[in-house]
Amino acid sequence: MAALDTHVLVRYIVEDDAAQLAAAKRLISRCVSEGVTLFVPVTVVLELEWVLRSGFEFAKADVLLTLSSLFSASELSFESERALEVALQLFRESSADFADCLHVALTTQANEQPLWTFDKGAAKLSGAQLLAKP
């Protein structure tokens, strides 16, 4: 199974570079026609959310829609898919950053809780706990 980098997904989603978009579409189409699934590492999803939000100014609702669509694509296979789905739900329901939601989801999946943090927003998530400063 081949894997995708953040840049390939970004070009496919935002369509801001015609040549790279065409290459990404060719790759994905070829894999679909051959029945090959493309692997997406959890770090790529984390970077993708950041790039869409900060680089392309996607609103939270647009990020949620984009990630939900990707997670349901049969031609893609995600590392830690269950944790990504939990993180997306936490992100949908809270004011915490997606990264914090993913950290909590991954630590929960690993049964390693709480996630100690100085981040007051992250500490509001179930599974995280604020570390008090002395």
Side-chain angles (χ1 to χ4, degrees):
M1 178 184 321
L4 291 177
D5 177 50
T6 307
H7 298 287
V8 175
L9 288 172
V10 168
R11 297 293 83 76
Y12 189 80
I13 292 165
V14 301
E15 302 180 354
D16 64 336
D17 181 302
Q20 289 183 356
L21 173 61
K25 283 185 172 183
R26 275 193 312 275
L27 171 67
I28 293 169
S29 293
R30 186 179 76 230
C31 289
V32 168
S33 68
E34 295 173 359
V36 174
T37 303
L38 293 161
F39 180 73
V40 181
V42 69
T43 52
V44 166
V45 176
L46 185 59
E47 185 180 30
L48 176 64
E49 184 277 333
W50 181 82
V51 168
L52 294 177
R53 180 178 39 80
S54 65
F56 291 93
E57 299 180 354
F58 273 40
K60 181 176 181 174
D62 295 325
V63 170
L64 285 163
L65 180 62
T66 300
L67 293 181
S68 294
S69 297
L70 287 176
F71 294 167
S72 64
S74 61
E75 60 272 16
L76 301 177
S77 171
F78 291 87
E79 177 185 17
S80 302
E81 186 166 357
R82 180 67 186 128
L84 285 167
E85 292 169 352
V86 168
L88 196 63
Q89 189 62 33
L90 289 171
F91 184 54
R92 181 177 284 113
E93 296 171 351
S94 73
S95 61
D97 292 338
F98 179 73
D100 293 328
C101 294
L102 183 55
H103 299 325
V104 167
L106 288 168
T107 57
T108 300
Q109 178 178 285
N111 201 28
E112 301 289 344
Q113 297 170 305
L115 172 69
W116 290 101
T117 182
F118 289 119
D119 185 322
K120 291 178 183 175
K124 293 177 183 177
L125 295 168
S126 177
Q129 191 166 341
L130 189 65
L131 181 58
K133 300 173 193 166

